[in-house]
Amino acid sequence: MSKNSLVSKAFAAAFAVLTISSIAGIVTMVILYKTQISTMNPTPRPTFPSTTTGLPPVMRLPKNLVPERYKVLLWPHFYTRIIEEVNVTSPNQTALFTGNTTVFFHCVQSTSTIYLHSQDLEVFGGSVVNIDKNERIPVIQTVNHKDQTDFLEIQLDNALETGGNYSLYLAFSGELSDNLLGMYSSTYEEDTPGHEDDRDIDRFLVATAMEPTYARRVFPCFDEPDFKAEFEVTIIHRKHTRALANGINTDGSNIIDNEWLSTAFQPTPLMSTYLFAFTVSEFTATPSSGGRVEINTYARPEATQAGHTKYAAEITRKILDFFEARFGIAYPQKKLDQIALPDSQSLGMENLGLITYLEWGLLYEEGVSSLLHKEEIALLIAHELAHQWFGNLVTMKWWNDIWLNEGFATYMSIFAVDAVEPDFQSREVYILDNLHSAFEADALASSCPLSTSQEDVQTNSQITGVFNTITYSKGAAVLVMLADIVDKPVFDKAIRRYLSDWKYKNTDQNILWEYIQKADDENDGSTNVAEVMDTWTKQIGYPLITINTTSGEGFQKHFLFNDSAVSSLSWYVPIKVMKETNQISSIMLKPGDSGNKDAFLSTKGEWILVNVNCTGYYRVNYNPENWERLLTQLQTDPSRIPLMNRGQLVDDAFNLARAKVVDVNLALNLTRFIRDETELVPWESTIRNLEYFVRMFDRSEVYGPMQMYLRNQVEPLYDSFSNYTDNSTVPTGHSSQTNQINAIEVACSNGLPKCIKMAQNKYANLMIINSTNNIHPNLRSVIYCQAVAHGGKEEWEFAWDMFLTSYDVSERGRLLKALSCTKKIWLLSRYLDYTLDPDLIRLMDVSSVIRYVSKNVAGQALAWNFIRAHWEYVSQGNVAGLIEVVTSRFSTQFELGELERFEMDYDLGPAFRTVYQAIEQTRVNIQWISENKDVVLHWFEAETA
Ligand SMILES: *[C@@H]1O[C@H](CO)[C@@H](O)[C@H](O)[C@H]1NC(C)=O
Ligand SMILES: *[C@@H]1O[C@H](CO)[C@@H](O)[C@H](O)[C@H]1NC(C)=O
Ligand SMILES: *[C@@H]1O[C@H](CO)[C@@H](O)[C@H](O)[C@H]1NC(C)=O
Ligand SMILES: *[C@@H]1O[C@H](CO)[C@@H](O)[C@H](O)[C@H]1NC(C)=O
Ligand SMILES: *[C@@H]1O[C@H](CO)[C@@H](O)[C@H](O)[C@H]1NC(C)=O
Ligand SMILES: [Zn+2]
């Protein structure tokens, strides 16, 4: 699955308008939501089943029966179009599906009860045959457990024999889900040009989402990842529709009658149930040219026709070729389909041979989508393709090791994108998107380890809970570190053997360690892989390494934001040290080891830099003298410090200040060098870290000097791009393009006059010509927002008109945000009122609009009043995210009081946990301001005097 698993339809659609930098926020929200679910339905920890005691299993299926092959027939009865089909009475749309399945299995230990999974299905019949003897075994009773196990228990008249081969036939029916899990229907609107009034004609399609435990909602099956089997599927679907599934379509579709077609697929390779998928739609294909594997990218006919699938089709072939060469193993099927769905619970899902994406994750509109969106698409496709090996071919034994899927897919996507689109600088994107978000989530005492015991991951909500930032981002970070410890070529060799030896099987992290160990032993045998890595995967958190360059001491301590939390955890920490003389040395700091190291010693007053290129998963603090030397180096010749570390030094200093390990002045001092910095990583790091300062101080006297400082710092960067910006063009390369946007945003929002003038001019031109938009897609979002911010009623209404008349998803998303940028209270207030009218703002956008308005300092109080006044209406959407954003500036006793009254007086429903967290956060903010306001004000005043 992709990192941003989404939890509701409205949420899924809202994703379309988010930019790269808000992805981390989404992930946090998803986690909050999931924690919420698991804490609201506390479940006792189940114990392990035993197959030998004869007692019924508790949560996991017994291992006495091993499924080998399924024949599955599925028949969704819904209509893809209901308007034109019948002229007198429209048929009613139906959610019904029916089907049947025969599973062939082997008995390894005699039993008279068959356990498999089935949830929310009506199951009929049930007939068991001993294939070896061609003999029927009577079924006494079939019981579907209506508890957390979802067991379908089939009691037999006589016991199945050890070593025997059997088949089980079941027929069933169910309903399409309305929460995008299992088999669900999705709706989209077909544009019919020339019919202004009814341009929205509803079309329906059926899609599936099985990971982790939803296959059991579609057909009865042994729904655990290590019960791999072949799936031979037949889909019955309406004429004019096309069915896709994991396997290869055998010979087109057969006509059943004048309403129905039947499409049969060849058996899949061995795979887990969670990778099962099929779709029924009127979508059309874009083939990728060349190659052994036939690749097709499916989308709405309009999107295909407009060429929005072209980029995906092109890059998928290149990435697949890259992985085949890299892993030395061919992709296991002759076909690969991918499909862009209007609704999906995750941005991407790697189903074997049929990868599903949310439209936003696959469709790229040349000239309309920003180039940054293109990069997101490339990274996502690379992630899902990497899963065809990591996850699909070699699968974890159980969900507790899901990081073997997600960590590897995230890690491998970096190299694939780097190979096929070097301009995207995916290694830098990795630092900003993964390393920093893992650091953030993993500095809480409530974090979870990468790999837990199987016992801790048993119930469905515990299983859903393992898909979090830690699994994806820490997973990738730990692999980056491991590859660096043993050396990349050694790591790559081990991975190729691991994939080859374990294909079509299931593994756990110990097996991975064995392969790395073997390759390391063949090289220099310097590392005890399991001993080192278990400290990173089996424990929560990460260390802060404190270096004293005067004494040469270096020691580790668990890094936590909460300075009162106590922890005695320690790690094997690979430390790569760089001295001012460019000398590099590597050390392994062991648990309990606080020995003095020559490498940490500064003899001639030179600086020392630890964690070169940020391959290690830890933060670093130095004695004040070394910080001072590093600061001086940054201000005199920053290029002496590797790029990644320039960003990391800023991020470390701000986070150490947050944990009260260093003074806030040190962190602020580290923003000085940014004036001469042109690279993205340090800038992005600074901007993200200063966001909190902006939120805390943009309503106080600190803000004036702070804006003046930032204006000053950003001006050279702004100027360095002005040739591009003024001509509405963009530089090449991801980093420069992102930094160009940063430069405009920081410059304009802190009042740099030439920036404001530029935005206003471009927007004024657009208002005059109106028809052709000459603003580069990358720059539109920031230009619209800044022009509306520094304009009045006329600018706002022009944006509103564009919003109402645009059919384009990217453009509508930008405008929705830009409309919230005005400083005029009455415009903001009216905009909020529009959200109450679904004809003006669709329900799925309501929560985005309120969040955008509340991010604007002029709209914050309005938004807070608005959600209280219209709680019943707005709480239909994603309230958790809404509350988090609307209260994120709260930092006074008065606001704390209001929030506490809100908690008491309102029916908060599922938002209660977020409100509780907002109260906690407000207290933290009040405390932080009281400790830091004077210091920060003084620092900015001194800096701008
Ligand atoms: C629709 O109406 C036409 C003409 O009245 C008729 O020939 C046709 O059979 C009708 N179609 C359906 C599906 O009822
Ligand atoms: C649709 O549903 C309505 C009410 O449930 C029923 O009266 C009508 O006959 C149904 N139409 C068809 C075509 O099934
Ligand atoms: C499964 O259902 C289909 C469609 O109803 C039917 O044609 C087929 O015979 C069924 N399979 C078995 C084994 O009964
Ligand atoms: C750090 O990264 C840079 C740029 O990728 C590379 O040239 C350099 O060799 C790396 N340094 C070390 C010590 O790995
Ligand atoms: C570093 O070590 C020196 C020499 O032992 C000591 O005087 C100094 O206090 C230490 N500095 C820090 C910040 O611990
Ligand atoms: Zn994934």
Side-chain angles (χ1 to χ4, degrees):
M1 243 191 290
S2 66
K3 181 172 168 183
N4 310 287
S5 272
L6 303 167
V7 291
S8 75
K9 187 167 168 172
F11 201 2
F15 193 85
V17 298
L18 295 167
T19 60
I20 300 180
S21 61
S22 34
I23 288 174
I26 289 260
V27 171
T28 323
M29 285 187 254
V30 173
I31 291 164
L32 280 176
Y33 178 86
K34 284 178 176 155
T35 328
Q36 196 174 299
I37 290 178
S38 50
T39 48
M40 276 163 47
N41 305 304
T43 47
R45 181 190 294 180
T47 49
F48 254 126
S50 154
T51 55
T52 48
T53 58
L55 295 172
V58 178
M59 279 305 293
R60 298 282 298 279
L61 292 177
K63 308 270 185 208
N64 47 10
L65 305 177
V66 181
E68 287 164 347
R69 186 161 62 91
Y70 293 82
K71 285 178 91 161
V72 186
L73 179 136
L74 289 163
W75 185 352
H77 293 250
F78 84 115
Y79 298 83
T80 49
R81 44 178 77 194
I82 54 177
I83 290 170
E84 300 103 315
E85 291 233 333
V86 178
N87 21 16
V88 194
T89 44
S90 287
N92 295 324
Q93 185 56 290
T94 169
L96 174 75
F97 69 84
T98 54
N100 54 47
T101 169
T102 306
V103 51
F104 300 88
F105 60 91
H106 184 72
C107 176
V108 294
Q109 190 180 27
S110 178
T111 176
S112 55
T113 317
I114 301 172
Y115 283 99
L116 66 168
H117 289 106
S118 173
Q119 187 184 3
D120 297 341
L121 294 174
E122 196 78 58
V123 179
F124 315 100
S127 89
V128 178
V129 174
N130 181 330
I131 297 170
D132 307 327
K133 298 182 179 161
N134 196 13
E135 176 180 287
R136 241 182 118 126
I137 299 170
V139 171
I140 302 172
Q141 201 190 357
T142 300
V143 185
N144 202 165
H145 294 230
K146 303 288 181 212
D147 56 21
Q148 302 209 44
T149 64
D150 306 324
F151 283 156
L152 184 67
E153 179 185 347
I154 298 170
Q155 299 162 3
L156 304 173
D157 204 19
N158 10 20
L160 306 177
E161 295 157 22
T162 305
N165 293 299
Y166 297 89
S167 72
L168 164 67
Y169 170 83
L170 294 164
F172 52 87
S173 69
E175 285 199 353
L176 300 177
S177 98
D178 49 17
N179 54 8
L180 309 178
L181 306 176
M183 192 193 312
Y184 64 90
S185 83
S186 167
T187 317
Y188 60 99
E189 289 162 0
E190 190 177 280
D191 197 8
T192 48
H195 293 84
E196 264 310 305
D197 293 340
D198 52 6
R199 96 185 147 84
D200 302 340
I201 295 182
D202 283 341
R203 291 278 181 268
F204 301 87
L205 65 101
V206 159
T208 56
M210 308 303 193
E211 191 178 24
T213 56
Y214 310 123
R216 64 189 67 171
R217 300 183 186 205
V218 178
F219 62 103
C221 56
F222 294 80
D223 197 11
E224 292 187 5
D226 66 347
F227 284 117
K228 287 192 173 183
E230 293 177 358
F231 295 82
E232 190 180 338
V233 177
T234 303
I235 307 289
I236 299 182
H237 52 106
R238 294 206 183 260
K239 63 180 183 185
H240 306 310
T241 65
R242 184 202 303 263
L244 301 172
N246 302 97
I248 297 166
N249 180 333
T250 35
D251 53 356
S253 303
N254 297 309
I255 296 163
I256 296 181
D257 55 30
N258 61 7
E259 245 190 292
W260 298 103
L261 299 175
S262 156
T263 304
F265 297 87
Q266 286 174 21
T268 63
L270 285 176
M271 69 172 197
S272 306
T273 46
Y274 79 88
L275 295 167
F276 186 96
F278 76 93
T279 60
V280 174
S281 72
E282 300 186 23
F283 282 13
T284 50
T286 308
S288 304
S289 57
R292 176 184 60 86
V293 180
E294 193 183 317
I295 303 175
N296 278 298
T297 301
Y298 289 85
R300 282 182 285 114
E302 273 169 73
T304 303
Q305 211 158 30
H308 299 169
T309 44
K310 254 168 75 186
Y311 180 65
E314 191 185 296
I315 196 157
T316 301
R317 165 77 63 209
K318 292 185 192 163
I319 294 173
L320 195 73
D321 290 349
F322 170 84
F323 281 139
E324 287 195 327
R326 176 67 176 268
F327 302 142
I329 299 178
Y331 166 77
Q333 281 201 119
K334 287 208 196 67
K335 77 109 185 180
L336 173 63
D337 292 327
Q338 41 190 6
I339 184 165
L341 301 171
D343 303 284
S344 165
Q345 59 127 4
S346 65
L347 207 45
M349 176 61 213
E350 68 267 20
N351 318 298
L352 195 146
L354 174 55
I355 307 179
T356 51
Y357 296 87
L358 194 59
E359 285 190 339
W360 191 89
L362 201 62
L363 302 184
Y364 177 74
E365 303 172 49
E366 201 69 55
V368 178
S369 308
S370 73
L371 295 169
L372 304 175
H373 184 179
K374 196 174 193 172
E375 298 167 14
E376 289 286 295
I377 292 172
L379 276 168
L380 183 64
I381 292 177
H383 178 105
E384 305 308 341
L385 289 182
H387 273 312
Q388 303 301 314
W389 286 264
F390 291 96
N392 299 11
L393 195 60
V394 178
T395 312
M396 71 280 149
K397 285 183 178 152
W398 183 245
W399 301 107
N400 63 315
D401 271 328
I402 186 66
W403 84 271
L404 293 178
N405 275 11
E406 301 304 348
F408 265 111
T410 306
Y411 172 79
M412 290 298 172
S413 67
I414 303 167
F415 299 100
V417 174
D418 211 31
V420 304
E421 294 276 19
D423 276 356
F424 292 178
Q425 289 151 303
S426 51
R427 172 112 174 92
E428 294 180 24
V429 180
Y430 154 78
I431 290 279
L432 295 166
D433 282 2
N434 289 296
L435 192 59
H436 288 174
S437 51
F439 273 157
E440 173 91 16
D442 211 12
L444 301 170
S446 59
S447 184
C448 53
L450 252 190
S451 178
T452 51
S453 71
Q454 292 203 6
E455 286 87 340
D456 286 339
V457 185
Q458 293 281 306
T459 64
N460 292 349
S461 62
Q462 285 168 337
I463 293 169
T464 318
V466 298
F467 291 86
N468 54 39
T469 309
I470 297 293
T471 359
Y472 287 80
S473 298
K474 184 179 181 177
V478 159
L479 291 171
V480 167
M481 182 163 66
L482 176 57
D484 197 55
I485 295 173
V486 298
D487 279 348
K488 192 80 183 16
V490 175
F491 181 80
D492 287 347
K493 180 167 117 188
I495 292 305
R496 277 194 297 272
R497 285 184 191 157
Y498 166 81
L499 286 174
S500 161
D501 288 358
W502 288 89
K503 60 186 174 208
Y504 305 115
K505 296 187 202 149
N506 295 72
T507 63
D508 57 28
Q509 74 169 27
N510 291 332
I511 296 175
L512 175 66
W513 300 157
E514 280 165 26
Y515 277 77
I516 313 268
Q517 187 68 59
K518 182 153 178 284
D520 185 66
D521 290 346
E522 288 167 9
N523 181 37
D524 60 2
S526 60
T527 312
N528 182 333
V529 176
E531 187 177 40
V532 169
M533 294 313 291
D534 282 354
T535 65
W536 298 96
T537 59
K538 293 190 175 170
Q539 308 187 112
I540 64 161
Y542 54 91
L544 166 64
I545 306 300
T546 304
I547 304 285
N548 185 338
T549 59
T550 311
S551 62
E553 281 169 302
F555 62 89
Q556 56 169 303
K557 183 180 183 296
H558 187 180
F559 179 75
L560 291 162
F561 283 137
N562 181 348
D563 58 349
S564 62
V566 206
S567 161
S568 57
L569 301 183
S570 59
W571 290 261
Y572 280 89
V573 191
I575 298 187
K576 205 178 272 181
V577 188
M578 179 181 185
K579 291 201 174 171
E580 192 169 343
T581 53
N582 273 339
Q583 180 198 347
I584 305 261
S585 42
S586 294
I587 291 168
M588 181 68 80
L589 194 68
K590 297 180 176 143
D593 178 359
S594 60
N596 294 20
K597 309 280 181 193
D598 282 347
F600 300 154
L601 207 55
S602 163
T603 41
K604 300 191 200 77
E606 78 272 29
W607 53 256
I608 285 170
L609 180 75
V610 165
N611 199 8
V612 183
N613 286 353
C614 308
T615 45
Y617 183 66
Y618 52 86
R619 292 195 185 277
V620 186
N621 187 19
Y622 304 95
N623 50 319
E625 297 80 6
N626 196 58
W627 274 119
E628 209 47 57
R629 289 174 199 137
L630 286 168
L631 276 170
T632 308
Q633 183 66 65
L634 284 170
Q635 280 169 262
T636 49
D637 181 7
S639 67
R640 289 289 314 283
I641 311 254
L643 170 64
M644 299 294 177
N645 290 96
R646 299 210 291 279
Q648 196 54 44
L649 284 168
V650 175
D651 197 61
D652 280 349
F654 274 92
N655 282 283
L656 294 179
R658 182 168 160 190
K660 300 185 190 164
V661 176
V662 301
D663 197 272
V664 70
N665 280 318
L666 173 67
L668 290 169
N669 288 345
L670 269 160
T671 65
R672 282 189 190 131
F673 80 98
I674 213 79
R675 187 174 157 81
D676 301 312
E677 179 66 71
T678 53
E679 294 288 344
L680 172 68
V681 173
W683 263 103
E684 190 74 25
S685 192
T686 305
I687 293 169
R688 289 187 191 183
N689 280 295
L690 281 176
E691 262 166 26
Y692 183 69
F693 285 65
V694 173
R695 279 208 306 278
M696 289 303 106
F697 296 131
D698 66 1
R699 299 177 295 171
S700 80
E701 72 270 28
V702 180
Y703 201 47
M706 185 170 168
Q707 281 198 303
M708 195 192 287
Y709 175 73
L710 289 174
R711 217 156 48 222
N712 212 10
Q713 294 297 85
V714 80
E715 189 167 359
L717 187 72
Y718 181 84
D719 289 343
S720 76
F721 290 116
S722 61
N723 274 344
Y724 294 106
T725 307
D726 293 344
N727 298 318
S728 273
T729 57
V730 302
T732 45
H734 163 90
S735 300
S736 303
Q737 288 178 8
T738 313
N739 230 8
Q740 181 189 19
I741 299 169
N742 280 341
I744 300 173
E745 190 148 334
V746 176
C748 279
S749 61
N750 288 293
L752 189 70
K754 56 189 156 193
C755 179
I756 296 168
K757 197 142 178 262
M758 176 280 299
Q760 285 175 322
N761 284 343
K762 287 200 189 320
Y763 195 79
N765 277 337
L766 187 63
M767 286 171 74
I768 295 164
I769 51 174
N770 202 352
S771 50
T772 45
N773 190 337
N774 293 325
I775 305 172
H776 191 280
N778 275 19
L779 309 182
R780 286 184 197 167
S781 185
V782 63
I783 302 272
Y784 294 171
C785 175
Q786 293 304 331
V788 170
H790 295 95
K793 177 168 181 261
E794 220 177 318
E795 284 77 10
W796 196 93
E797 308 238 282
F798 180 73
W800 178 245
D801 275 348
M802 283 201 287
F803 175 76
L804 290 181
T805 52
S806 170
Y807 302 148
D808 182 273
V809 181
S810 304
E811 189 71 0
R812 283 174 66 92
R814 292 173 188 133
L815 289 162
L816 205 66
K817 175 153 183 266
L819 289 163
S820 75
C821 296
T822 178
K823 303 272 166 57
K824 304 260 183 291
I825 304 280
W826 73 271
L827 283 171
L828 288 169
S829 181
R830 189 178 65 174
Y831 189 32
L832 285 172
D833 287 340
Y834 285 177
T835 63
L836 299 173
D837 181 350
D839 288 339
L840 296 177
I841 310 271
R842 286 180 304 171
L843 189 58
M844 71 176 189
D845 292 331
V846 169
S847 140
S848 303
V849 170
I850 303 171
R851 275 185 287 146
Y852 291 147
V853 170
S854 78
K855 280 187 178 172
N856 178 347
V857 63
Q860 130 94 38
L862 287 175
W864 170 232
N865 289 336
F866 185 83
I867 63 168
R868 286 180 296 171
H870 304 283
W871 180 244
E872 211 166 301
Y873 188 71
V874 303
S875 63
Q876 298 174 78
N878 163 30
V879 261
L882 192 61
I883 299 275
E884 190 183 326
V885 175
V886 173
T887 61
S888 65
R889 260 195 202 83
F890 282 12
S891 50
T892 64
Q893 288 296 342
F894 178 75
E895 284 162 337
L896 179 61
E898 288 204 332
L899 202 46
E900 283 168 341
R901 266 197 305 285
F902 179 63
E903 188 210 359
M904 283 191 303
D905 297 348
Y906 282 72
D907 174 15
L908 299 175
F912 89 94
R913 192 182 161 86
T914 318
V915 173
Y916 176 75
Q917 284 170 333
I919 291 174
E920 274 308 302
Q921 186 60 47
T922 304
R923 292 209 178 98
V924 169
N925 294 348
I926 292 170
Q927 170 83 10
W928 189 85
I929 287 188
S930 78
E931 284 169 8
N932 291 293
K933 185 173 172 184
D934 292 345
V935 182
V936 172
L937 176 62
H938 186 251
W939 191 91
F940 280 118
E941 278 175 349
E943 215 61 26
T944 48

